Amino acid sequence: MKLQISGSSIELVQGDITRQATDAIVNAANASLAGGGGVDGAIHRAGGPAIMRETRAKHPDGCATGQAVITSGGNLPARHVIHAVGPRYGDGRRGEPALLASAYRRSLEVAAENACRSVAFPSLSTGAYGYPIDEAARVALAAVIDFLRQHAAIELVRFVLFDETAYAAFRRAAAELLPDGWGCKWSHPSCR
């Protein structure tokens, strides 16, 4: 599934983010940048120890929630890893949407600052951090669409969604945010 926004493309795919040959992939990192499970663990396993060494050397104080930092991609097909820290979900009224949007926006800003033209994202904060996937998908897509409408530096943003549940949630959010732009109506079975 692909959409054009101001000369840039947004893609939704189901797959493995560690196999993306984009300029950068985004890691769902924790604030200490100490590695972990889920997407974070998969990226560090696939990319090798060079990513963690560089993270510790360049960012010894970690990264605040809603922010992002960059390292090389180690053994990954991507040249860079952007480590973004999304919020832990409480009740949705403690600034979580703004912090999640900021993590996506800062990732794109960091990508642009480092001449990355293509970026692959996982669904930030929806694993161990407990952000409801339907809410997170709307925040993620809205933040990326807004960024692309204002900046031409990024040519491709690909959401690499691990399973059918996440993929379906992002399709529903896309249909809600841009009902005519995706060629996908609510009556279509894959958008329900």
Side-chain angles (χ1 to χ4, degrees), residues 1-182:
M1 168 172 249
K2 191 172 191 175
L3 172 74
Q4 293 296 121
I5 299 283
S6 301
S8 300
S9 297
I10 298 175
E11 294 178 350
L12 302 181
V13 299
Q14 187 176 341
D16 180 348
I17 197 158
T18 67
R19 297 181 181 202
Q20 302 303 305
T22 49
D23 291 334
I25 63 171
V26 177
N27 178 18
N30 55 50
S32 64
L33 302 178
V39 170
D40 193 15
I43 287 172
H44 282 285
R45 282 189 301 277
I51 296 173
M52 185 57 73
R53 281 194 302 272
E54 186 178 348
T55 302
R56 288 183 181 139
K58 287 185 173 179
H59 312 288
D61 296 328
C63 181
T65 301
Q67 298 298 309
V69 297
I70 194 167
T71 63
S72 68
N75 298 328
L76 295 165
R79 288 187 301 129
H80 299 284
V81 176
I82 297 171
H83 306 268
V85 183
R88 292 185 182 276
Y89 190 81
D91 58 8
R93 295 180 293 191
R94 299 177 189 166
E96 294 99 310
L99 288 168
L100 185 58
S102 178
Y104 281 99
R105 188 172 44 257
R106 278 298 300 145
S107 294
L108 292 171
E109 289 168 354
V110 167
E113 290 162 6
N114 287 274
C116 297
R117 308 291 291 170
S118 58
V119 180
F121 280 99
S123 180
L124 298 175
S125 288
T126 57
Y129 282 14
Y131 213 111
I133 187 69
D134 288 312
E135 292 177 39
R138 282 190 298 275
V139 170
L141 283 166
V144 168
I145 290 166
D146 183 59
F147 182 89
L148 293 178
R149 283 182 172 152
Q150 297 176 38
H151 303 88
I154 307 295
E155 295 172 358
L156 169 68
V157 174
R158 179 179 298 144
F159 286 94
V160 183
L161 305 155
F162 185 71
D163 60 22
E164 181 59 35
T165 300
Y167 182 78
F170 272 74
R171 280 198 57 121
R172 286 190 301 272
E176 180 182 316
L177 292 169
L178 299 160
D180 296 326
W182 291 87

